[in-house]
Amino acid sequence: MSDWIIAMESFGLRELAKAFHSDKLQDYKRLKESGLPTFDDFIIQYKDFNKRNLSLENFLAIYESFVIRAIPNTKDLPRRYKIGVHSFEECQEFLAKNVPSGKEDKYSVFLTEHEPTNLAGVIISRPQDVLIEVAQSGLDELSHGKVTPSVGHFAQHYYNHFKSMRYNTKDMAQRQLMWRALQYLRKDLSSDSDLFTNTEFLKGYFEFVVTEKTSKIKFLDYKINENYLK
């Protein structure tokens, strides 16, 4: 997304770029504080990324594979990431290729454990409704519209006096996955009815993946920028 924002600005679309700009580290802090399930992580300033850092070395010793991200503290520089690095040396090689020379002090290094995934999802939770999309693809392909997803829509349909879920797929596994993912966002309110709960969800834009071996749902992003909720 950061490349798109930089491109928008280069074409003079500054207001549009500003509308979609999002602080990745702030978004991730919000995600962690929400209590949603996430991958284990380690965040460090670029200047502290070295073999003398015992906390870094200990984290790299825990898992076999990682996702590494170079996150700038300014919207004028691009974010970069790589999936499936396995050692300090591979991380160092990635950073040398992707962090502009002389701009090292502008970057943080963001590491997360990596497990292979086979499904990805996006949730847009608004006051009036919730949309969820899932696809058997990578998250980039889904979030950039490169695949056709299965869709769920939680809203007040037709003349019902309560909200319910509707799907565009008959695939029960994908239906169950969508409803399972939404349970993590449940924030039910008190209800006057014994039959129907006042089902509500945490508001925002969310991205998640499903791990291939264990089928665990892991959330990767949580934004509250209103431009992502339209």
Side-chain angles (χ1 to χ4, degrees):
M1 183 61 77
S2 65
D3 286 337
W4 293 9
I5 291 173
I6 291 171
M8 286 180 200
E9 290 189 334
S10 69
F11 284 104
L13 303 173
R14 291 187 177 276
E15 289 303 313
L16 184 60
K18 183 178 179 181
F20 281 95
H21 175 67
S22 182
D23 185 324
K24 178 66 177 179
L25 295 180
Q26 191 63 38
D27 290 342
Y28 192 73
K29 179 182 178 184
R30 182 184 307 110
L31 175 61
K32 294 285 286 186
E33 291 175 349
S34 74
L36 293 169
T38 60
F39 289 113
D40 196 9
D41 64 84
F42 187 87
I43 302 173
I44 191 172
Q45 294 294 312
Y46 186 98
K47 64 181 177 63
D48 297 321
F49 194 90
N50 57 67
K51 281 207 164 187
R52 297 185 302 278
N53 191 311
L54 293 181
S55 296
L56 171 62
E57 286 289 287
N58 289 338
F59 183 77
L60 290 172
I62 297 174
Y63 305 104
E64 293 183 2
S65 183
F66 304 88
V67 178
I68 183 170
R69 297 174 178 86
I71 308 294
N73 61 15
T74 172
K75 63 184 178 65
D76 301 320
L77 292 170
R79 303 170 190 166
R80 293 287 182 259
Y81 75 95
K82 183 176 181 179
I83 298 173
V85 295
H86 302 89
S87 65
F88 175 86
E89 288 72 23
E90 287 184 24
C91 291
Q92 198 171 43
E93 181 182 358
F94 163 82
L95 293 170
K97 289 181 178 178
N98 290 279
V99 174
S101 179
K103 302 292 185 180
E104 291 85 356
D105 62 329
K106 304 290 186 184
Y107 277 84
S108 294
V109 182
F110 180 9
L111 288 165
T112 55
E113 62 169 309
H114 173 244
E115 287 186 55
T117 61
N118 56 359
L119 290 156
V122 170
I123 300 170
I124 299 175
S125 178
R126 304 175 289 200
Q128 72 275 21
D129 66 353
V130 180
L131 288 167
I132 178 168
E133 298 180 344
V134 298
Q136 195 163 355
S137 71
L139 185 56
D140 276 354
E141 287 81 4
L142 175 60
S143 60
H144 293 159
K146 296 179 180 179
V147 295
T148 301
S150 296
V151 180
H153 186 207
F154 183 82
Q156 189 169 325
H157 298 280
Y158 308 115
Y159 298 104
N160 292 340
H161 297 292
F162 57 91
K163 293 179 180 179
S164 61
M165 199 73 171
R166 296 287 187 272
Y167 302 95
N168 75 342
T169 178
K170 294 182 179 180
D171 186 318
M172 290 306 298
Q174 293 210 338
R175 287 187 175 201
Q176 290 169 1
L177 170 61
M178 285 188 262
W179 189 241
R180 181 161 67 98
L182 288 181
Q183 300 318 293
Y184 289 105
L185 308 186
R186 285 283 287 267
K187 299 288 181 183
D188 288 1
L189 304 176
S190 59
S191 174
D192 296 328
S193 171
D194 293 330
L195 296 176
F196 303 109
T197 58
N198 193 353
T199 305
E200 291 294 335
F201 299 94
L202 186 64
K203 304 298 183 269
Y205 170 90
F206 304 86
E207 295 178 346
F208 67 90
V209 293
V210 181
T211 59
E212 189 172 349
K213 288 185 178 180
T214 59
S215 297
K216 291 181 179 179
I217 291 174
K218 299 287 188 177
F219 284 82
L220 304 182
D221 202 0
Y222 172 16
K223 291 180 171 64
I224 57 175
N225 183 332
E226 290 186 359
N227 291 289
Y228 285 86
L229 306 182
K230 295 179 178 179

